[in-house]
Amino acid sequence: MKLFTVLALGSLAVSSALSAQDAGTDETKVWQTSAELGAITTSGNTVGTSITGKIDARQELESWSNQYIFSAFFKEDEKEDADGNTVTERSAERYLISAKGAYKLDTEHDNLFIIGSHTRDEFGAFEKYNTVAIGYGTRLYDAETQHLDVEIGPGYFSGTRATGESESGFIVRGAAAYNWQISESAAFSQTLSVEYGDDNTRTIAETALTAKINGAMQMKAAFLVQNDSDVQPDKENTDTQTSLTLVYSF
C-alpha cells in the first residue's frame, strides 16, 4: 500500500516537474480553479448534517495539461441509543485526491496521460482505493458548444476492504467527458470512468447542470453514482450522491 501511494504521488511529482520546465518558457500559462461547497442540515423528526466540497485546479501549459482534484463528503445523524440518550453518529465519510498530467501531441486534443488517485471511504465497499494509470486521450466530437473527450490505458489498483482484506492487480481504465454549453449562463456535463480488473470493476459517473449567478459564482446540481462489481455481503454495490452546491471560479 505504501509503495502504491508513492507511485500515485510520484505521478504528480513527475507531471509537476515537467510542467515547471514549460512554465519557464511559456508566458501564456493559465490556471483555472473552481471551489464548490454544499451543506444540508435537517431538524425535527430527522436531525443531521451533510457537507460536500470539491477543489478542481487545471493548468494549461504549452506542452502539458494538468489537473488536480480534492473532494470530500461527510454526513452525521443524531439518534437515540438504547438508554434514550441522544448521540451523533457519522454515517458517511469519503475523501478523494487525484492528480493528472497530459502531454500534448502534435494533433490537437491528442495527448498521453498519467493519472494517480487515492480514495478514503470509511463506509464504502473499499475503505482505501488507489489507482495509477497511463494511456492515450483524444477528442471524439468537437462542435461550437459541445465536445466529447475520451481516454483509455492500462493501470494498477490497490484497495483495502472494510474487513481489512487487501487486494491489488492490473486494470484497464477508460474514461469519457461530455460538455455542453447550453447558453451563456448554463452548462451541462457528463463524466464516466471505468476501471476494469479481474477482482473488481469500479464505475463512477457524474451528471451535472450548472447555472451562472454572476461572473465568478455558479449554482451546480449534480448526481454522482459509484459502483463496485465485487463487494462483501453486508455492503451495497452502488452508492449515489445528489448534491446542490455553490461553485466559485478563479
Side-chain angles (χ1 to χ4, degrees), residues 112-127:
L112 298 175
F113 71 86
I114 178 170
I115 184 171
S117 67
H118 169 73
T119 302
R120 180 68 181 265
D121 191 347
E122 296 294 338
F123 298 89
F126 287 84
E127 285 191 350

Side-chain angles (χ1 to χ4, degrees), residues 33-35 211-219 246-250:
T33 303
S34 64
K212 184 178 294 185
I213 299 174
N214 56 36
M217 190 72 71
Q218 295 176 312
M219 180 73 74
L246 285 174
V247 183
Y248 180 74
S249 302
F250 55 95

Side-chain angles (χ1 to χ4, degrees), residues 10-20 64-66 68 100-102 114:
S11 69
L12 168 61
V14 171
S15 172
S16 299
L18 292 173
S19 298
W64 286 86
S65 292
N66 303 316
Y68 313 96
K100 175 183 174 183
I114 178 170

Side-chain angles (χ1 to χ4, degrees), residues 92-109:
E93 184 176 357
R94 181 172 62 248
Y95 305 95
L96 164 71
I97 183 170
S98 71
K100 175 183 174 183
Y103 180 74
K104 301 175 183 179
L105 301 178
D106 292 337
T107 303
E108 187 178 11
H109 302 304

Side-chain angles (χ1 to χ4, degrees), residues 47 76-82 84-90:
V47 180
E76 289 185 342
D77 299 314
E78 286 189 9
K79 299 180 179 181
E80 286 190 359
D81 60 16
N85 300 316
T86 301
V87 295
T88 301
E89 292 184 356
R90 182 69 57 89

